[in-house]
């Protein structure tokens, strides 16, 4: 098993507001899991807790990633171990070029995996190839991280980083929101091209459209800090038709 | 209402209680200079500046301009009697910046042609000794109590410095390499720079001490950029961590001229640099940037005055201070738009980053506008490192230390990224980055 989340509880570190109230989730290599659920149910919190954001404090439960205790690891150690979070809101970092940032990141991850560092020209070749795949303009590499990028460009930039870092598990938090129809297709193709039977995905989304392209193996509904229902791809269709009300009445 | 000049001084120029020691040093230096100087006009300039300085004294922190910049240490220090030190060619070699340039060496403010490179075509350089009578008379007018105390001190100690002029397109940057040799000396070079109409010059000033100690440098540079002239100016302040540096750059621009100037502050115990710009001809542009990194207990003060005296000029400013440990940063910026200076377009931005829990920045951006059809804005923001930015980088596998360094370096070096000469830009960028990541 790649990811084993067991009874995960988390609260906002500064207050006592509990957001995750016992999440259970098992992800095997190569699987694609979708997480859906109404606004404010804890989807982003779950994704951020997995990535190690310090704003949240885990109060109970455990998470094993590739057999290791994920919660004991620093955010950068998680990334180097192969966990990737595509952010719901990628941040802008003025003055830090995409190139320098990603070059530093790629080599930090390679070092942790026992690989020799890439030379700048090797990195540039690899980056050019991935950017082409994602139909990104080459000058995006020279620009400051996400600064002045449109909403869709920011999302695409995150997927580009994912393609460069080659994680074992990619957690994508609403990567589809803010994308136009063509961009959605491009991002979905990008994700599909990274599916190799080993790499796993957790896709947080509100819409069925992305799932139609990616075809998840499992769909989970997160509500009020818990997964209240899991099913196959057909669950997404059901939700698209009926909404969450019935489910919440039944299980919430 | 009548006020005697003494009570005026008391009122408007709060006097630092420890002024006397340094005033006495300046008086004896002036007397020694005048005793050996047969030229009456120069003696008068010095004496008048001294008297104005003695009348107003050095400022206390009740003086609005000196509210945040303590002078106690500057005034308390024991300074050696003036001497011109000597430097050998190998010392110059180690201080030489790593880019193609004509390096002119100033030892304790005295130009050393023997240690300097040949001048590029179009550039003339002479000692300030040869300054003309007209300029001296103008300086005489400057010797009044209203002027800044260190500006008066510089004028009172008039002796050293260089006159520099540029005609035509000068293709090689000129470096004024200031080497201060005395560990506890005072040097007050005064430079005159003239960029002739349509001429273009890139000038880089480096101020460095060769020995640690409480040395004080008080340089003043007066620059005139003629019609259509272009000036690219960089100043690097890297005096020792115990040294003091109180500098002025007066920049006057004629119509259609363009200047871009960057001040980078690395060293010093208490330091201040003032860029005072007057846009005197229409369609002139001034870019004024600064970047300072204060650590330990350093006090770094960076300030500008930008006078839009005529219509249709533009000015652009970006000033950044990164302050760590228990250091302090001070930014003061004033844009003044004179009556009738319509279509002025002035923009001033100040951003500061606090790294240490005891670090502090005091910022005072100001606008004074006496014209009605202008576009002016100023902003100032001081904050800590953005946690979301740090997390974003860490979530990509970059260590926390490297993430902080990447973000801080980018923040600090932004004001130098506008330097058009690649080699000069990289040099300054790397110096700032190296202080962040020793
Ligand atoms: N740092 C925080 N401080 C305070 N409250 C927080 C914090 N992070 C999340 N919350 C709260 O926790 C709840 C869950 O938020 P979260 O962002 O995880 O929801 P979500 O399921 O991703 O919603 P959406 O679909 O709108 O993105 C919300 O009520 C939110 O306001
Ligand atoms: Mg969310």
């Amino acid at each position: 098993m790649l990811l084993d989340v067991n009874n995960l509880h988390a609260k906002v570190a500064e207050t006592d507001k509990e957001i995750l109230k016992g999440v259970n989730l098992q992800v095997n290599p190569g699987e694609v899991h979708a997480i859906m659920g109404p606004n404010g149910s804890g989807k982003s919190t779950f994704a951020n807790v997995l990535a190690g954001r310090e704003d949240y404090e885990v109060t109970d439960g455990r998470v094993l990633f590739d057999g290791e205790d994920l919660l004991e690891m620093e955010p950068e150690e998680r990334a180097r171990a192969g966990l990737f979070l595509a952010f719901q809101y990628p941040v802008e970092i003025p003055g830090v070029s995409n190139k320098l940032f990603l070059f530093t990141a790629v080599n930090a991850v390679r070092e942790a995996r026992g690989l020799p560092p890439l030379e700048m020209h090797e990195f540039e070749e690899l980056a050019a190839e991935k950017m082409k795949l994602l139909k990104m303009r080459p000058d995006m590499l020279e620009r400051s991280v996400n600064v002045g990028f449109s909403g869709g460009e920011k999302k695409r930039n995150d997927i580009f980083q994912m393609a460069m870092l080659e994680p074992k598990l990619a957690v994508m938090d609403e990567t589809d929101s803010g994308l136009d129809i063509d961009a959605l297709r491009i991002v979905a193709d990008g994700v599909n091209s990274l599916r190799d039977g080993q790499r796993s995905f957790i896709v947080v989304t509100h819409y069925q459209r992305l799932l139609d392209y990616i075809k998840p193996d499992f769909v989970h509904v997160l509500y009020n800090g818990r997964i209240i229902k899991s099913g196959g791809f057909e669950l997404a269709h059901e939700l698209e038709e009926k909404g969450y009300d019935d489910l919440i009445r039944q299980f919430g | 209402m009548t006020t005697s000049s003494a009570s005026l001084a008391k009122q408007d120029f709060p006097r630092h209680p420890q002024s006397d020691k340094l005033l006495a040093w300046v008086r004896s230096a002036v007397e020694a200079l005048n005793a050996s100087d047969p030229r009456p006009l120069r003696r008068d300039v010095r004496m008048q500046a001294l008297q104005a300085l003695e009348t107003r004294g050095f400022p206390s922190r009740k003086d609005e301009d000196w509210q945040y910049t303590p002078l106690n240490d500057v005034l308390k220090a024991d300074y050696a009697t003036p001497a011109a030190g000597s430097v050998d060619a190998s010392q110059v070699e180690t201080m030489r910046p790593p880019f193609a340039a004509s390096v002119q060496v100033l030892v304790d403010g005295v130009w050393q042609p023997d240690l300097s490179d040949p001048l590029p075509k179009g550039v003339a350089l002479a000692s300030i000794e040869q300054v003309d009578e007209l300029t001296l008379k103008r300086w005489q007018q400057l010797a009044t109590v209203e002027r800044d105390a260190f500006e008066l001190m510089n004028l009172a100690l008039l002796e050293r410095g260089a006159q520099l002029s540029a005609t035509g397109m000068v293709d090689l940057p000129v470096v004024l390499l200031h080497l201060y040799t005395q560990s506890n000396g005072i040097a007050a070079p005064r430079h005159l720079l003239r960029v002739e109409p349509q001429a273009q010059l890139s000038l880089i000033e480096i101020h460095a001490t060769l020995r640690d100690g409480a040395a004080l440098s008080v340089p003043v540079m007066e620059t005139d950029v003629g019609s259509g002239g272009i000036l690219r100016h960089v100043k690097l302040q890297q005096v020792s961590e115990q040294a003091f540096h109180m500098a002025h750059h007066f920049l006057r621009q004629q119509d259609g001229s363009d200047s871009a100037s960057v001040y980078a502050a690395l060293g010093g115990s208490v330091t201040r640099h003032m860029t005072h710009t007057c846009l005197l001809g229409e369609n002139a542009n001034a870019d004024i940037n600064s970047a300072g990194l204060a650590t330990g207990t350093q006090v770094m003060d960076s300030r500008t005055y930008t006078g839009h005296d005529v219509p249709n000029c533009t000015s652009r400013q970006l000033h950044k201070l990164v302050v760590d440990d228990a250091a302090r940063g001070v930014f003061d910026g004033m844009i003044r738009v004179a009556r009738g200076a319509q279509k002025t377009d002035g923009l001033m931005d100040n951003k500061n980053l606090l790294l240490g829990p005891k670090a502090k920045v005091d910022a005072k951006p100001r606008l004074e506008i006496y014209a009605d059809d202008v576009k002016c804005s100023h902003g100032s923001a001081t904050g800590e490192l953005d946690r979301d930015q740090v997390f974003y980088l860490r979530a990509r596998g970059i260590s926390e230390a490297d993430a902080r360094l990447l973000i801080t370096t980018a923040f600090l070096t932004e004001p130098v990224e506008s330097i058009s000469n690649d080699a000069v830009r990289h040099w300054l960028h790397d110096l700032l980055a190296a202080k962040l990541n020793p």
Side-chain angles (χ1 to χ4, degrees):
Chain A
M1 195 176 298
L2 181 61
L3 182 75
D4 185 3
V5 180
N6 219 298
N7 190 34
L8 183 64
H9 289 252
K11 68 176 187 78
V12 177
E14 284 162 7
T15 69
D16 281 330
K17 184 175 171 165
E18 189 170 57
I19 302 172
L20 301 183
K21 301 169 181 171
V23 177
N24 293 293
L25 182 69
Q26 279 77 39
V27 179
N28 289 304
E31 287 176 356
V32 177
H33 292 243
I35 295 181
M36 305 184 81
N39 293 130
S41 57
K43 303 180 297 298
S44 293
T45 302
F46 177 57
N48 278 289
V49 166
L50 289 183
R53 189 187 281 264
E54 281 154 0
D55 304 49
Y56 305 104
E57 190 184 314
V58 173
T59 50
D60 202 3
R62 73 187 166 82
V63 180
L64 290 181
F65 180 65
D66 220 5
E68 307 265 343
D69 184 349
L70 187 75
L71 301 177
E72 282 297 303
M73 297 156 84
E74 296 291 333
E76 56 269 35
E77 292 171 337
R78 301 179 194 205
R80 292 171 194 169
L83 183 87
F84 183 92
L85 170 62
F87 289 83
Q88 183 170 2
Y89 305 107
V91 300
E92 302 187 358
I93 311 180
V96 176
S97 80
N98 242 341
K99 185 194 263 178
L100 177 63
F101 149 56
L102 204 46
F103 181 67
T104 311
V106 165
N107 279 337
V109 169
R110 285 178 69 90
E111 191 185 340
R113 292 177 190 165
L115 297 168
L118 289 184
E119 300 278 340
M120 183 47 100
H121 70 94
E122 295 171 310
F123 167 82
E124 282 171 346
E125 277 163 34
L126 188 67
E129 183 190 313
K130 305 286 186 196
M131 290 177 84
K132 205 169 153 193
L133 194 74
L134 291 165
K135 300 209 165 54
M136 287 170 67
R137 287 200 319 274
D139 73 308
M140 304 275 259
L141 197 58
E142 309 295 334
R143 285 169 57 182
S144 292
V145 178
N146 295 326
V147 176
F149 286 29
S150 73
E153 284 170 343
K154 286 180 184 170
K155 298 297 180 86
R156 238 188 278 189
N157 198 27
D158 257 28
I159 298 306
F160 166 53
Q161 293 162 29
M162 176 171 102
M164 292 295 288
L165 294 172
E166 303 184 328
K168 289 179 183 154
L169 171 66
V171 182
M172 297 165 57
D173 190 1
E174 293 199 30
T175 300
D176 51 345
S177 68
L179 290 183
D180 66 40
I181 296 162
D182 292 338
L184 186 69
R185 168 106 237 176
I186 292 161
V187 165
D189 286 348
V191 170
N192 284 334
S193 75
L194 290 168
R195 289 174 76 169
D196 57 1
Q198 286 302 304
R199 185 167 293 130
S200 308
F201 293 83
I202 295 175
V203 181
V204 174
T205 183
H206 288 293
Y207 308 106
Q208 199 193 318
R209 194 185 293 271
L210 177 70
L211 301 181
D212 284 338
Y213 288 125
I214 302 187
K215 305 223 162 39
D217 303 300
F218 302 94
V219 175
H220 310 276
V221 177
L222 190 73
Y223 175 71
N224 195 18
R226 275 190 207 96
I227 289 178
I228 56 167
K229 183 162 171 101
S230 299
F233 188 22
E234 73 288 343
L235 180 56
H237 292 273
E238 224 174 280
L239 291 170
E240 185 94 1
E241 269 170 42
K242 297 189 192 153
Y244 294 111
D245 279 1
D246 278 1
L247 261 183
I248 291 171
R249 228 171 285 130
Q250 227 178 313
F251 299 96
Chain B
M1 196 174 76
T2 56
T3 337
S4 78
S5 78
S7 74
L8 182 102
K10 225 177 229 145
Q11 222 176 8
D12 292 341
F13 311 109
R15 188 186 185 92
H16 197 292
Q18 288 169 306
S19 291
D20 289 353
K21 187 174 178 184
L22 186 53
L23 287 176
W25 189 99
V26 178
R27 172 160 280 273
S28 73
V30 170
E31 281 167 356
L33 284 171
N34 277 1
S36 61
D37 194 337
R39 293 160 298 186
L41 186 51
R42 286 165 172 269
R43 293 202 303 263
D44 286 353
V45 169
R46 288 192 195 106
M47 198 43 84
Q48 282 180 29
L50 173 67
Q51 279 162 359
L53 176 62
E54 287 177 336
T55 304
R56 61 130 50 238
F58 287 98
S60 78
R61 290 175 75 168
K62 292 203 182 80
D63 186 322
E64 223 190 309
D65 276 343
W66 292 88
Q67 207 176 345
Y68 305 114
T69 312
L71 288 175
N72 303 28
D73 291 350
V74 180
L75 299 176
K76 268 196 322 221
D78 294 311
Y79 298 106
T81 46
S86 73
V87 158
D88 62 41
S90 68
Q91 281 172 300
V92 171
E93 213 43 48
T94 60
M95 301 302 291
R96 217 186 151 82
F99 50 82
S102 163
V103 176
Q104 303 302 313
V105 180
L106 295 118
V107 175
D108 298 319
V110 182
W111 179 44
Q112 310 283 330
D114 295 347
L115 291 171
S116 302
D117 293 340
L119 287 162
K121 197 169 160 289
V123 175
L125 211 167
S127 161
I128 204 78
E129 284 285 303
Q130 274 126 54
V131 70
D132 59 32
E133 197 164 308
L134 217 64
T135 307
L136 285 169
K137 285 197 166 136
R138 185 166 58 75
W139 286 349
Q140 204 170 15
Q141 308 284 308
L142 291 180
T144 62
V145 288
E146 291 80 31
R147 310 296 292 197
D148 177 82
F150 289 97
E151 192 196 337
L152 289 170
M153 178 171 163
N154 172 281
L155 204 53
L157 297 173
L158 176 64
E159 181 201 9
R160 302 171 184 182
Q163 291 187 77
L164 192 68
S165 70
T167 43
M169 299 263 287
V170 180
D171 48 16
L172 194 64
V174 174
V175 172
L176 295 183
L177 177 59
H178 293 78
L179 301 175
Y180 300 108
T181 64
Q182 286 180 291
S183 64
N184 57 347
I186 291 180
R190 190 172 186 92
H191 304 314
L192 268 177
L193 167 63
R194 177 150 185 85
V195 179
E196 297 292 341
Q198 312 303 329
Q200 182 172 342
L201 177 72
S202 167
L203 183 78
I204 291 113
E205 284 182 74
I206 299 171
H207 293 259
T209 47
L210 293 180
R211 284 177 191 81
D212 288 351
L216 168 61
S217 40
V218 190
V220 169
M221 172 129 97
E222 283 189 6
T223 300
D224 286 285
V225 187
S227 302
I230 297 175
L231 173 67
R232 296 290 170 260
H233 172 253
V234 169
K235 170 174 163 178
L236 168 66
Q237 180 276 98
Q238 51 174 180
V239 297
S240 89
E241 300 255 324
Q242 296 94 51
F244 312 113
H245 185 79
M246 299 288 156
H248 285 86
H249 185 194
F250 295 97
L251 187 58
R252 292 179 288 261
Q253 292 188 228
Q254 301 303 324
D255 58 287
S257 63
D258 181 59
S259 78
S261 115
V262 176
Y263 169 58
L266 288 177
S269 160
V270 181
T271 60
R272 166 186 283 213
H273 176 87
M274 162 64 133
T275 300
H276 185 288
T277 308
C278 289
L279 298 165
L280 302 171
E282 291 195 33
N283 301 308
N285 172 64
D287 287 358
I288 308 153
N289 287 2
S290 69
L293 172 55
T295 57
T297 55
Q298 287 184 304
V299 179
M300 274 184 189
D301 179 332
S302 166
R303 53 187 57 220
T304 62
Y305 168 91
T306 309
H308 282 263
D309 294 345
V310 295
N312 295 312
C313 290
T314 53
S315 60
R316 293 282 173 274
Q317 302 187 49
L318 176 62
H319 302 281
K320 289 194 163 180
L321 287 162
V322 173
V323 185
D324 202 351
D325 308 318
R328 297 192 64 160
V330 182
F331 171 73
D332 189 304
M334 153 81 103
I335 300 177
R336 186 178 181 282
V337 182
R339 185 166 291 126
Q342 306 296 8
K343 306 283 180 205
T344 287
D345 180 352
L347 213 145
M348 176 167 66
D349 202 6
N350 165 234
K351 291 201 177 97
N352 311 305
L353 182 59
L354 301 176
L355 297 180
K358 289 186 185 157
K360 193 170 185 300
V361 169
D362 292 291
K364 221 161 66 177
R366 287 169 293 161
L367 287 177
E368 252 180 41
I369 301 179
Y370 301 101
D372 49 23
D373 183 15
V374 303
K375 210 168 75 191
C376 277
S377 78
H378 70 314
S380 178
T382 299
E384 293 169 20
L385 219 51
D386 185 314
R387 291 171 52 200
D388 290 343
Q389 292 179 349
V390 175
F391 181 67
Y392 191 85
L393 298 189
R394 293 179 76 189
R396 299 298 177 250
I398 298 173
S399 72
E400 184 176 7
D402 284 350
R404 295 175 68 93
L405 188 63
L406 269 173
I407 297 165
T408 309
T409 305
F411 179 91
L412 175 64
T413 57
E414 190 190 353
V416 317
E417 300 305 333
S418 59
I419 295 174
S420 51
N421 181 316
D422 291 346
V424 175
R425 184 179 63 250
H426 289 148
W427 164 71
L428 211 52
H429 179 285
D430 290 352
L431 281 170
L432 288 165
K435 187 177 174 189
L436 273 175
N437 188 24

